[in-house]
């Protein structure tokens, strides 16, 4: 694994910040995800979509980043929605019970609709 092979594309639309994860998320790269989520929050984006479509690997350090921020995000009326997970990534989330903590969808449109329903 090439630990340097990780980057995040950040997109904003309305009150939603989308982070598209690319490559390998592990102990060496998880700090980049922490910075990206913190930047969303500091810009008052508390509806965050994590797009896993280009993520090939996630370690426990990567998983832990989501747990660090979820409570604070929810206290601000937002949430983290996750989408486009490859089966091997979803299996890890499911095995650890993260699918009970986070909304995991199969498509970007499903993830966006979760936030649109919140506003009704």
């Amino acid at each position: 694994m090439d630990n340097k092979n990780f980057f995040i594309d950040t997109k904003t639309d309305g009150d939603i910040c989308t982070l598209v994860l690319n490559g390998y998320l592990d102990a060496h790269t998880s700090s980049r995800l922490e910075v990206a989520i913190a930047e969303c929050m500091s810009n008052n984006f508390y509806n965050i979509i994590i797009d896993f479509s280009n993520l090939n690997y996630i370690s426990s350090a990567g998983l832990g980043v989501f747990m660090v921020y979820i409570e604070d995000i929810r206290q601000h009326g937002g949430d983290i929605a996750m989408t486009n997970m490859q089966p091997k990534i979803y299996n890890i989330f499911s095995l650890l019970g993260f699918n009970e903590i986070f909304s995991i969808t199969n498509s970007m449109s499903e993830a966006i609709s979760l936030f649109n329903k919140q506003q009704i």
Side-chain angles (χ1 to χ4, degrees):
M1 271 181 277
D2 180 3
N3 291 329
K4 295 176 185 74
N5 188 22
F6 178 76
F7 63 95
I8 301 169
D9 293 318
T10 303
K11 303 171 186 174
T12 58
D13 185 19
D15 65 347
I16 299 173
C17 182
T18 300
L19 302 177
V20 182
L21 308 184
N22 299 271
Y24 293 85
L25 179 56
D26 60 18
H28 294 93
T29 59
S30 62
S31 61
R32 293 186 214 165
L33 178 57
E34 289 181 29
V35 168
I37 293 174
E39 284 178 359
C40 289
M41 294 170 62
S42 69
N43 290 311
N44 293 315
F45 286 101
Y46 293 97
N47 292 333
I48 300 173
I49 296 174
I50 309 293
D51 184 343
F52 286 81
S53 55
N54 298 320
L55 190 72
N56 299 314
Y57 174 84
I58 189 166
S59 73
S60 59
L63 292 164
V65 172
F66 301 113
M67 296 306 294
V68 167
Y69 290 99
I70 190 61
E71 186 176 335
D72 193 25
I73 288 169
R74 288 181 176 159
Q75 286 177 348
H76 283 88
D79 208 347
I80 296 176
M82 301 176 173
T83 192
N84 296 324
M85 285 185 184
Q86 296 178 29
K88 64 183 177 183
I89 303 280
Y90 178 80
N91 288 340
I92 293 167
F93 274 77
S94 178
L95 183 68
L96 296 173
F98 277 39
N99 58 331
E100 302 293 326
I101 300 169
F102 297 98
S103 297
I104 300 175
T105 67
N106 293 318
S107 70
M108 185 62 71
S109 60
E110 285 180 61
I112 291 168
S113 72
L114 290 174
F115 292 122
N116 291 337
K117 288 177 187 171
Q118 282 182 353
Q119 296 170 1
I120 295 173

